[in-house]
Amino acid sequence: MSELKLTTKGKMTRQKILSTAEEIFGEKGYFETSIAEITLRAGVAQGTYYNYFSTKKEVFDELIRQLSSSFRHQIKVAMEKETTFEAKQRAGYLAFFEWLTNHRNLYSIVQQSVLVDMKLYRWYYEKIADGFVRAIQEAIDKKECKPLNPETVAYCLMGIGQFIGMRWVFWEEEKVPDEVINEAMDLIFKGIN
């Protein structure tokens, strides 16, 4: 159902279902979660659920798309405030880690998608990579970084963000320490030697 056709109350109800699904999929996993459990915790009737989503898979797909869009937007806004490639990257990582503190279940939900829908799993990472590739190509054009393959660099940078977020935000449920961010930026921009 198109969100544009929903009333304000309808949009709120739809978002409540998505937020509740995020919690439960994160806690129990896709296969162990039922529509009945989502509607019960969300405080909506099952019939109401079907006004917005026709299946459990549909809410799962929409949830991954929404989470992806949300954090990519936050990163974009943070990066637009900076002028250099290095400053933009730092701002992007900081924005992602900040966003992640309120959406820790992202990791378990995305990892589940490899079993639920491999195309969706790949789409999720390719959308992130696309943004990185554009930023890296722009930095190459401005001679702010070496003329390496932008896709290779993108996936390397994505790995750094993925695992730092996993280590501190997802596993430890804390903020990424400043020294970790500083060391990551030092590694990215100065190398390991």
Side-chain angles (χ1 to χ4, degrees), residues 49-63:
Y49 175 95
Y50 290 107
N51 288 333
Y52 303 99
F53 304 100
S54 57
T55 64
K56 178 173 72 169
K57 172 80 165 49
E58 190 174 310
V59 78
F60 184 80
D61 291 357
E62 177 60 22
L63 179 60

Side-chain angles (χ1 to χ4, degrees), residues 96 131 143:
F96 174 66
K143 302 198 183 327

